[in-house]
Amino acid sequence: MTLETLYRADGTPYDRYVVVGTSGSGKSTLANRLAWQTENRHVELDRLHWLPGWQERSWDVFCEDVAAATAGERWVVDGNYSVVRDVVWGRAEAVVWLDLPFRQVMSQIVVRTLRRGVNGEVVCNGNVESLARGILSRESIILWAAKTWKKHRVRNERLLMGQREPAWQHLDVFRVRSGDLSDVEIWRGGVKGRVFSEGVMGLEG
């Protein structure tokens, strides 16, 4: 399947997307691809939140930076920070929710953490995710993903599915259940549909 699965019903891309999902679900990877293909700006909330040395930016400054980064007309944001949800979701046109199975998320984040640790990859703002930090510490991203997978699913179902909160009624929602976009539940204007592996769109009751 292609990224056009995440476009409007008329086949054109949205101007403003937000990509959400638990750690390890592939938010930044998908957002980067989507931004490149749609010629939108990619805004990583983690880059705005983390300073060098894994220091956290103050919430006031973070909120200001996010508001500035999303002031434009075309962007793809990735991240789950609830403190800026009103700002980001309020301006977004579509939410792409990576709701992948627990086993797949854990497999992806273990592989990613090992790769980053072994290769010394820079994650953001000069920060490196060492094997000790990623696996053995209390701040382990693997442990964090395992602990928050269910919480993210419950929260996003409440915010985005069915009788969603009034503040988010304007959003079209893509609930992605497979990494290759072969199983995507779509809500447009309150109407639910689904794209299956053969690329056929069907309505659901």
Side-chain angles (χ1 to χ4, degrees):
M1 302 293 286
T2 66
L3 292 178
E4 282 81 358
T5 300
L6 308 178
Y7 283 15
R8 302 177 192 271
D10 65 5
T12 61
Y14 296 86
D15 291 331
R16 295 179 296 281
Y17 291 87
V18 56
V19 181
V20 300
T22 193
S23 298
S25 57
K27 296 186 298 298
S28 294
T29 299
L30 178 62
N32 187 56
R33 289 177 55 208
L34 188 59
W36 182 85
Q37 180 162 311
T38 60
E39 298 183 345
N40 290 354
R41 180 186 180 195
H42 181 200
V43 179
E44 292 183 70
L45 296 186
D46 277 347
R47 288 187 179 274
L48 298 178
H49 176 243
W50 292 107
L51 296 167
W54 291 112
Q55 299 299 308
E56 296 182 80
R57 197 181 304 274
S58 72
W59 289 118
D60 287 346
V61 174
F62 174 66
C63 290
E64 291 174 0
D65 289 348
V66 172
T70 56
E73 290 301 314
R74 298 180 61 84
W75 40 257
V76 180
V77 169
D78 75 78
N80 300 304
Y81 293 86
S82 60
V83 69
V84 292
R85 183 181 300 138
D86 287 351
V87 173
V88 177
W89 289 28
R91 293 214 65 224
E93 297 173 330
V95 172
V96 180
W97 171 21
L98 290 176
D99 182 28
L100 304 185
F102 179 78
R103 181 179 296 180
Q104 182 176 351
V105 168
M106 295 311 299
S107 174
Q108 289 178 179
I109 201 163
V110 168
V111 170
R112 187 188 77 179
T113 301
L114 290 173
R115 186 193 72 240
R116 285 178 173 178
V118 170
N119 296 334
E121 293 181 19
V122 175
V123 179
C124 63
N125 297 327
N127 293 310
V128 176
E129 192 176 274
S130 66
L131 288 177
R133 177 186 174 87
I135 298 176
L136 303 176
S137 75
R138 293 181 180 179
E139 299 173 330
S140 166
I141 190 65
I142 296 173
L143 179 61
W144 174 257
K147 290 170 60 177
T148 59
W149 178 86
K150 183 176 181 180
K151 181 183 76 172
H152 281 301
R153 168 171 279 189
V154 171
R155 182 197 63 195
N156 286 329
E157 282 189 333
R158 173 177 57 83
L159 292 173
L160 296 171
M161 295 292 101
Q163 298 299 315
R164 73 182 75 160
E165 297 183 7
W168 317 129
Q169 291 289 344
H170 68 286
L171 293 166
D172 286 349
V173 178
F174 298 81
R175 186 177 188 175
V176 178
R177 299 178 184 273
S178 60
D180 62 357
L181 304 182
S182 62
D183 185 356
V184 182
E185 180 182 314
I186 301 172
W187 290 80
R188 289 193 178 101
V191 178
K192 179 183 178 183
R194 200 177 188 103
V195 173
F196 298 99
S197 57
E198 64 270 22
V200 176
M201 175 77 177
L203 296 180
E204 294 186 353

